[in-house]
Amino acid sequence: MSSATAVISLASGYSHFPTPPLVLEYLQPYLQGTRLPDSPAAGLPELRHALAQQYAPAQINPEQVVVTTSTKTALFAILRAALNPGDEVLLPTPNWFGFDALVAEAGGILCPLPLSPNDNYTLTPAALEAALTPHTRVVLLTNPCNPTGRIYSHQEIEALLHVTRQHPNLLVVSDEIYNLVTFGSQVPSLLDFPDPHQQHVVVNGFSKSLALINWGLGYLVAPLALAQECARWQHITSGAVASLNQLAGLAAAQSANTIATDLVAQLQPLRQLLLRTLQDIPGLRLTPNEGTYYAFPDLRAFLDPSLSPEAASCALIGRLRAAGVEVVDGSGCHAPGFVRISCAVPEPELRTGLARLRDALLTQ
């Protein structure tokens, strides 16, 4: 690659789509001088009500909803409130690379539960039960999964919850930030299921499914006492999320299906281009997925066998970057030799980036 050639990033977790026009229209009076409302630390009541209504069958009380500056903030608030020193967080892997640091910062011990691409990253109740220890405090799920794109069905989650209900001191935390980015099966929410022991927590946000990029907005839904503790911590440390941002979230929440349908329609041809190109690369293995805007191909056939898996994976990422394309190293997701590739970029960049990736892999 010429030194003058810019590296194309297919690594970002954000899409390139602009703020939905209906959100901007909703905000116009506030941008033109209407006074912004004051917000309690836990969030504007109308936004908390709108978010609770999205889980209407579960009869969520708006007081169980806390609006945060991001999904990451929501997750940290939950972990900080739930974990004591020595508590373990069980994480099926591969999974998002940011979980490790969040768990450590909250004082927990992350325990990976490796899943296999050979059975499409299936998590069985038996595997979950076998991985639990007396120190397990949180089971952390993502649906759809970042980076694999795997969607776990209603039947699969119900079977897993049959296990967790036998351990009432566990919290089950589900990161559902990509819940509306689906190209097949509908994504069930953890809050769709009975919760007799008050174990279920959902974290979500607006930057993926609802295209509010850089608006700094997430939320959590938790049992009331836990939600109140998270709100108390937010009040002490930062206060409420900016009201304008929350109003943007309110507009997006009220039109969530419209925004997500449009987003998926824009992503569909890009996703097809990504999958078609990857499937045509000899030696690359690809597990089908229906969720998120990522692919997570297996590039272990292209690793240097003289190096450790992590070192070889890092070297491959460097080789791809030298060829002008940046992707996420699967080592951070507990899957060295795999890479996460996003299709949520302009089509010309996607085509060029994928061509560079193919050339780099096939040129020895």
Side-chain angles (χ1 to χ4, degrees):
M1 183 185 70
S2 165
S3 59
T5 303
V7 173
I8 290 177
S9 177
L10 304 182
S12 176
Y14 294 105
S15 72
H16 71 288
F17 302 114
T19 299
L22 61 84
V23 173
L24 296 177
E25 182 179 354
Y26 182 87
L27 294 178
Q28 283 308 307
Y30 300 98
L31 295 174
Q32 294 170 4
T34 298
R35 187 182 184 279
L36 290 167
D38 296 325
S39 174
L44 291 171
E46 54 266 49
L47 176 56
R48 297 168 76 192
H49 176 78
L51 294 172
Q53 286 296 108
Q54 293 187 349
Y55 306 100
Q59 298 183 327
I60 297 300
N61 184 328
E63 295 296 312
Q64 295 177 247
V65 180
V66 179
V67 181
T68 61
T69 56
S70 67
T71 307
K72 185 187 296 186
T73 308
L75 181 60
F76 180 74
I78 291 293
L79 294 173
R80 185 211 63 83
L83 297 177
N84 291 312
D87 283 348
E88 296 174 352
V89 176
L90 185 63
L91 178 69
T93 58
N95 226 311
W96 178 56
F97 51 79
F99 286 138
D100 298 53
L102 282 172
V103 170
E105 191 68 22
I109 300 169
L110 188 131
C111 298
L113 172 53
L115 306 180
S116 172
N118 296 333
D119 61 3
N120 193 21
Y121 303 105
T122 296
L123 174 57
T124 66
L128 175 60
E129 180 69 63
L132 297 175
T133 80
H135 302 290
T136 307
R137 173 64 174 133
V138 173
V139 176
L140 181 52
L141 306 174
T142 60
N143 200 26
C145 179
N146 167 14
T148 66
R150 173 67 146 87
I151 293 175
Y152 292 89
S153 70
H154 190 281
Q155 292 77 10
E156 287 178 302
I157 295 174
E158 176 57 53
L160 298 173
L161 296 181
H162 180 73
V163 174
T164 59
R165 290 187 195 111
Q166 311 311 310
H167 303 270
N169 291 327
L170 283 179
L171 276 184
V172 184
V173 180
S174 181
D175 182 342
E176 300 178 0
I177 192 169
Y178 292 94
N179 65 317
L180 300 179
V181 184
T182 172
F183 302 89
S185 304
Q186 190 172 23
V187 182
S189 172
L190 180 64
L191 299 180
D192 294 340
F193 299 86
D195 185 16
H197 304 304
Q198 296 291 285
Q199 296 174 277
H200 298 174
V201 176
V202 162
V203 296
N204 206 327
F206 295 79
S207 61
K208 314 299 184 184
S209 295
L210 299 179
L212 288 187
I213 313 302
N214 295 324
W215 280 86
L217 201 59
Y219 66 93
L220 61 89
V221 185
L224 184 58
L226 186 55
Q228 290 174 334
E229 169 56 25
C230 292
R232 185 194 71 83
W233 174 74
Q234 180 156 279
H235 173 72
I236 292 171
T237 58
S238 62
V241 175
S243 293
L244 186 68
N245 301 43
Q246 292 195 61
L247 290 168
L250 176 61
Q254 291 172 338
S255 300
N257 288 335
T258 298
I259 293 172
T261 298
D262 181 61
L263 179 66
V264 168
Q266 294 180 71
L267 286 167
Q268 183 72 271
L270 299 170
R271 177 177 180 268
Q272 291 173 345
L273 171 62
L274 172 63
L275 298 181
R276 186 171 62 247
T277 302
L278 294 177
Q279 288 165 347
D280 287 342
I281 298 177
L284 180 150
R285 297 179 62 187
L286 187 64
T287 302
N289 68 70
E290 292 186 321
T292 77
Y293 35 74
Y294 306 122
F296 196 58
D298 180 351
L299 304 186
R300 287 178 291 182
F302 301 95
L303 297 183
D304 183 343
S306 69
L307 301 175
S308 70
E310 291 76 13
S313 192
C314 181
L316 177 62
I317 295 299
R319 179 173 146 199
L320 294 176
R321 197 176 198 288
V325 59
E326 188 168 16
V327 295
V328 172
D329 185 349
S331 293
C333 306
H334 300 268
F338 291 70
V339 299
R340 192 191 76 177
I341 305 175
S342 172
C343 68
V345 297
E347 183 178 341
E349 292 183 21
L350 181 61
R351 286 188 180 277
T352 301
L354 290 174
R356 292 176 180 177
L357 181 139
R358 177 188 175 92
D359 291 346
L361 293 177
L362 299 182
T363 302
Q364 300 296 327

